[in-house]
Amino acid sequence: MEEARRKIRICLVCVLTAAVIIGMIYYFHDVKGISSVNEGTLVFISGGVKPLWQL
């Protein structure tokens, strides 16, 4: 019984480590390289953004 728990614990640690590594690869490859928002923008202001007190 103790050996089975040890194997399950090792398996869970391996899965968790793989998930963290895959998440980091995804972040640095896909998300960090984007410098501007090109998807999901709901409002576009063509004249630029003015401070609230200058409206």
Side-chain angles (χ1 to χ4, degrees):
M1 186 70 166
E2 188 64 32
E3 186 176 335
R5 287 184 182 173
R6 184 172 180 256
K7 287 182 182 180
I8 290 173
R9 189 175 297 131
I10 290 172
C11 181
L12 288 174
V13 168
C14 290
V15 168
L16 180 66
T17 304
V20 169
I21 291 171
I22 290 170
M24 289 174 63
I25 291 171
Y26 170 75
Y27 174 75
F28 286 113
H29 177 66
D30 194 39
V31 176
K32 194 173 180 183
I34 298 174
S35 61
S36 65
V37 177
N38 58 2
E39 293 180 2
T41 304
L42 297 175
V43 178
F44 179 75
I45 301 172
S46 63
V49 178
K50 296 180 182 177
L52 185 61
W53 59 87
Q54 292 181 355
L55 293 175

